[in-house]
Every structure is written in C-alpha cells, then in structure tokens.
Amino acid sequence: PPSAAALEVRGLSVGYGPVRALREVSLDVPAGAVVAVLGGNGAGKSTLLRAISRTLGYHRGAVTAGTVSYGGRDLHGAGAARAVAAGIVQVPEGRQVFARMTVADNLRAGALGATGGRTATRAALAHVHELFPVLADRARQHAGLLSGGEQQMLALGRALMSGPKLLMLDEPSLGLAPLMAARIAETIQQINATGTSVLLVEQNAALALRLASTAYVLDVGEVALHGPAAELAASDEVRRRYLGVV
Ligand code: ATP
C-alpha cells in the first residue's frame, strides 16, 4: 500500500453560516498513527472530518480560518476529488451505503476516485474480501439487505477500494452490538497494520482510546484536552464525562 504522510490541522475555524462549529482547532495525525477524536453530540467531530475531506461545501459549511495540510501540502482550495487523489478517504457517519446497489457495485464505486488503475483495484478488492469474507459471499445482494454491522464493513471496504493513506472514520461503532463493534475495532487495527493512518471519531470513548495512540477531546468546537490515549483514559475528567465512570 502507498505510504502514509502526516496530516496537520492548524488553527482551523469552520462556520455554517452564522453557526460557528469549530474554533481554532489544531491536530496532528502522524504517518501511520491511529488518532481519536472524542466529544459529545454537536462538539464538531463530523465538521472536522468534512473540513479535512473537503466535503464541507456539500453541507453549506466553510473554513473561516486556519489550514489543513497533508504530507506538507496545503489542501486549501482542493475539492473532495483531490483529497481522495491525495489518499484521504472518509467513511461518513451512518455508513451511507448505496442500499439499492449490489455489494459488488458499492465496492466498485469506491474505486472511482482511485488513481492506481485496474491492477491496484483488483488487489484492493482481494484485500477487502480477505478482511470481510462476507462481502464476497454477498457480492450480488443489495446492500440494503445487509445487517448494520455488515453495512459498516461494506462502508469500510468501499473506502479501502481506492487504497487510502489516511482513513477517516465517523462513528464506526454507532448502533452496533458490542460484539460487532469489537469486530470493527479489530479490523481498524488490521487496516492500520498495513500502514494506513486512521483518524477515528467516536462517541464510544472506551473503544477509541483502546485503538488510538493519541486522542483529542472536542468540546463545543474547541480542543479541550489532548495527549497520549493512555493518559486521557486515566484522567478523571475523561473518565467521568466520556467513560461513564463515576
Ligand atoms: P454528532 O455526533 O451529533 O454528529 P458532531 O460532534 O459530529 O456531533 P457536528 O455535526 O460537527 O458535531 O456539528 C457541530 C455544530 O455544527 C453543531 O452545533 C451542529 O448543529 C452544527 N452543524 C452541523 N452541520 C450543520 C449544517 N449543515 N448546517 C448548520 N449547522 C450545522
């Protein structure tokens, strides 16, 4: 797989019209790392991912200050297609698979922005089928017929089809039973082990802090805490507010 580069977010502010969703957020994803972003509803987690994947415009949002760069290159002015070409791929919250298309066609759609050509696409498909054999078994079924966990696998598989260097996951465990969430977590580790960096947004702080080396806590659009995941997992504030420990 292509080698990962470092993502640098500096002083990023984002607004949706008059709504200020992010204020001067700075964050790093070192090459090959898993970094987690925690925070409650409306903290700005999805907004951060949209700013990085250059999809804010589809949600009528705009960057009002700050920079996002990947591998030392400023993504200012880049569209979503260029972010994908640079190796940055987002799996949106709620999976958003194409329900009336087959599993195979969903995966093919994931290769549309890829730059590697047919051989790379074939290798990516083999890798996805190895990670998720169920997607090979169900290739001809409509994606809408899959279970929630299988749809999350398909959303992950679709994202892997373009051979991403940085995979951004928005709440991959949302709505999944604990066993299935654990299975997805294991897969995220396997994907990272092949050299892909991961930026993981989660309300499931326990799961995210287990996977990540570094974590950030967003609170009403600002970075309230950040540091090594093990340190955050031990902090009283994180334990009380995000891990449900009283
Ligand atoms: P959740 O987990 O609930 O999705 P989040 O941490 O991902 O929360 P965001 O979705 O990024 O938070 O939202 C941050 C803020 O921006 C919230 O106040 C939200 O209401 C607002 N917001 C998000 N999307 C839009 C939009 N398209 N138009 C207007 N305001 C928006």
Side-chain angles (χ1 to χ4, degrees), residues 97-193:
V97 299
F98 305 116
R100 300 179 70 174
M101 279 166 51
T102 64
V103 167
D105 284 341
N106 269 269
L107 292 177
R108 264 181 219 119
L112 288 176
T115 48
R118 268 199 204 174
T119 318
T121 301
R122 231 176 275 133
L125 184 63
H127 176 55
V128 168
H129 282 165
E130 199 180 305
L131 282 173
F132 305 115
V134 67
L135 298 182
D137 300 342
R138 305 265 173 109
R140 287 159 196 277
Q141 280 187 14
H142 281 168
L145 297 174
L146 301 179
S147 73
E150 289 164 349
Q151 288 190 17
Q152 185 60 56
M153 291 176 188
L154 179 56
L156 273 169
R158 185 179 57 185
L160 290 174
M161 287 299 292
S162 64
K165 300 176 196 168
L166 171 64
L167 192 59
M168 301 199 294
L169 308 175
D170 198 347
E171 309 256 7
S173 79
L174 191 72
L176 300 184
L179 258 181
M180 187 54 81
R183 167 89 168 80
I184 295 292
E186 198 182 296
T187 313
I188 293 169
Q189 279 171 327
Q190 285 172 318
I191 293 167
N192 178 244

Side-chain angles (χ1 to χ4, degrees), residues 16 19 21 40-47 50 59 93 171 203:
Y16 297 98
V19 179
N41 278 321
K45 304 182 298 300
S46 301
T47 299
R50 289 171 189 159
H59 303 270
E93 186 175 342
E171 309 256 7
Q203 290 209 33

Side-chain angles (χ1 to χ4, degrees), residues 232 234-241 245:
L232 288 198
S235 99
D236 283 342
E237 190 185 348
V238 170
R239 283 161 62 81
R240 195 165 16 86
R241 291 187 60 181
V245 180

Side-chain angles (χ1 to χ4, degrees), residues 37-65:
V37 177
L38 316 176
N41 278 321
K45 304 182 298 300
S46 301
T47 299
L48 174 64
L49 296 193
R50 289 171 189 159
I52 298 166
S53 63
R54 317 315 284 176
T55 56
L56 261 179
Y58 302 118
H59 303 270
R60 305 190 183 283
V63 170
T64 55

